[in-house]
Every structure is written in C-alpha cells, then in structure tokens.
Amino acid sequence: DVKVTQSSRYLVKRTGEKVFLECVQDMDHENMFWYRQDPGLGLRLIYFSYDVKMKEKGDIPEGYSVSREKKERFSLILESASTNQTSMYLCASSSGQGSYGYTFGSGTRLTVV
Amino acid sequence: QKEVEQNSGPLSVPEGAIASLNCTYSDRGSQSFFWYRQYSGKSPELIMFIYSNGDKEDGRFTAQLNKASQYVSLLIRDSQPSDSATYLCAVNRGRDDKIIFGKGTRLHILP
C-alpha cells in the first residue's frame, strides 16, 4: 500500500524552538506539499516542491522553510516556533499534472507552548 | 470571490437517505475535480475524482460535474453513520499541480 509518512503524530514544542517536521513518500512522486489546517480556515498551502532541491512558496510561507534533498523526503522547518503556529500540519504528494489528486500523510498536530 | 466554495454545514441526513453535497468554483478553466473525506482528527482521504461533464459512480458515491455552471456535487446513497465526516471539494485549475481546496462541508448521518 502506497504511503505518505509523517514522522510524528503529536508534537509539543516551546516558543522559540526550531522545529523539524519530516515527510517521506514511497510512491516515487515528483510533487510534495505542506499544508496547515485550522478550524474555520481550511487547508492552507505553506510550501511545495516539484523536484529535488526545488521549492516554491505557497500562500502562507512566513515563519517556515523547507528542504528537499531527496525525492522521497520533504521537510518543513519552523525556524523559531511561535504559539500562532500551533496547528495540524499535513504533508501530501502527487505524481504530477494535477490529474490524480494528492495522497496525504496522517498529519502532525503541533502545539507550541 | 473564493476559488472553491462549499456550505460549511452541518448537513444532517437520516440514515439510509441520500446525502447531497455541493461545491462551486470560480476558475472556468479548471480541469480536475476531487472529493475528499476527512474524519475528525484524521487527514483527508480521496474518495472521488471527475474530469468530464456528467456523472461518475463508484459504489454508493456519485460525483456530478457541470462545467457550464461551474458546479460539482457528491451524492452518497444509503447514507451510513460511518459517512459522518467533513467532505472537502478540491479543484485543479490545470496550470500546474496545485489543487485548491474548499473549506469543507460537515455531514452528520442521523441513526
């Protein structure tokens, strides 16, 4: 069964910490995405990548960065965590062309205290 | 105008009835349309996609697309309590691989 795996299901971090969220897919997909999901705001795109070492800003990139050193792995980095970054973070991948939809990971619920 | 609009609900439907979920989109050039189901605390799961005008059926689910009206719907026949979830409509505009998601409709099936 094809999968998108996020390294942590729940995470609690302190304000100011550097936080790494890892995502690995085993489907040989070119495209990978990071979203956050908050009640009433829906899914908001943070960053995405169409290729190794390539990244593009989504709708809300402020306070985040990403890394894609290998095709299967896409990392989201919170440089200095703040309480307003408490959220559900979802990683997704796709094979390209937008025709087949995204496969999502199980999500990481991050709480910043 | 929001790119993908859905009624937030909740939509309450008796068990065994047909649940009808609706979505409109603003970009007339959109090419691919998706329905995701999301249970509380879980991640979205793709349940249907449709590319052409008309109906597409898969088990108890039917997706309907009307490009002229920029309207997508999802029908769930013989609704079950396990269908209670939030349903996200999503659209690919065809220019790249980015999918635009609606905020979702909460569906509650009444036993």
Side-chain angles (χ1 to χ4, degrees), chain A residues 9-10 31 33 35 37 40-43 45 48 50 57-59 88 90 93-107 109, chain B residues 2-3 31-34 36 38 40-46 49-51 86 88 91-104:
Chain A
R9 187 73 181 92
Y10 298 96
N31 306 331
F33 307 83
Y35 288 87
Q37 187 175 35
L41 298 178
L43 284 162
L45 181 63
F48 60 102
Y50 288 157
K57 294 179 179 179
D59 301 318
M88 169 70 93
L90 291 160
S93 71
S94 73
S95 59
Q97 304 305 316
S99 299
Y100 305 110
Y102 297 167
T103 300
F104 283 90
S106 56
R109 184 163 295 280
Chain B
K2 295 178 183 176
E3 295 197 62
Q31 298 185 1
S32 308
F33 307 86
F34 308 90
Y36 284 81
Q38 186 174 24
S40 180
K42 302 295 185 182
S43 61
E45 172 193 12
L46 181 65
F49 60 88
I50 186 167
Y51 309 138
T86 297
L88 305 175
V91 174
N92 175 266
R93 296 170 295 184
R95 295 193 289 274
D96 51 36
D97 195 38
K98 285 170 67 178
I99 292 177
I100 310 301
F101 289 86
K103 292 185 178 180

Side-chain angles (χ1 to χ4, degrees), chain B residues 45-56:
Chain B
E45 172 193 12
L46 181 65
I47 55 172
M48 290 287 288
F49 60 88
I50 186 167
Y51 309 138
S52 304
N53 275 331
D55 294 0
K56 178 182 179 182

Side-chain angles (χ1 to χ4, degrees), chain B residues 38-99:
Chain B
Q38 186 174 24
Y39 293 115
S40 180
K42 302 295 185 182
S43 61
E45 172 193 12
L46 181 65
I47 55 172
M48 290 287 288
F49 60 88
I50 186 167
Y51 309 138
S52 304
N53 275 331
D55 294 0
K56 178 182 179 182
E57 187 175 316
D58 184 1
R60 295 187 297 111
F61 298 99
T62 299
Q64 299 176 317
L65 174 61
N66 184 327
K67 288 188 176 181
S69 299
Q70 295 174 244
Y71 181 91
V72 192
S73 65
L74 179 70
L75 302 178
I76 306 175
R77 290 182 299 281
D78 188 22
S79 296
Q80 302 296 311
S82 59
D83 295 326
S84 296
T86 297
Y87 289 80
L88 305 175
C89 174
V91 174
N92 175 266
R93 296 170 295 184
R95 295 193 289 274
D96 51 36
D97 195 38
K98 285 170 67 178
I99 292 177

Side-chain angles (χ1 to χ4, degrees), chain A residues 3-4 24-29 32 68 71-72 93:
Chain A
K3 276 189 174 177
V4 178
V24 177
Q25 51 96 1
D26 65 1
M27 295 169 282
D28 200 34
H29 282 172
M32 298 187 75
R68 193 169 182 196
K71 188 177 184 179
E72 67 271 18
S93 71

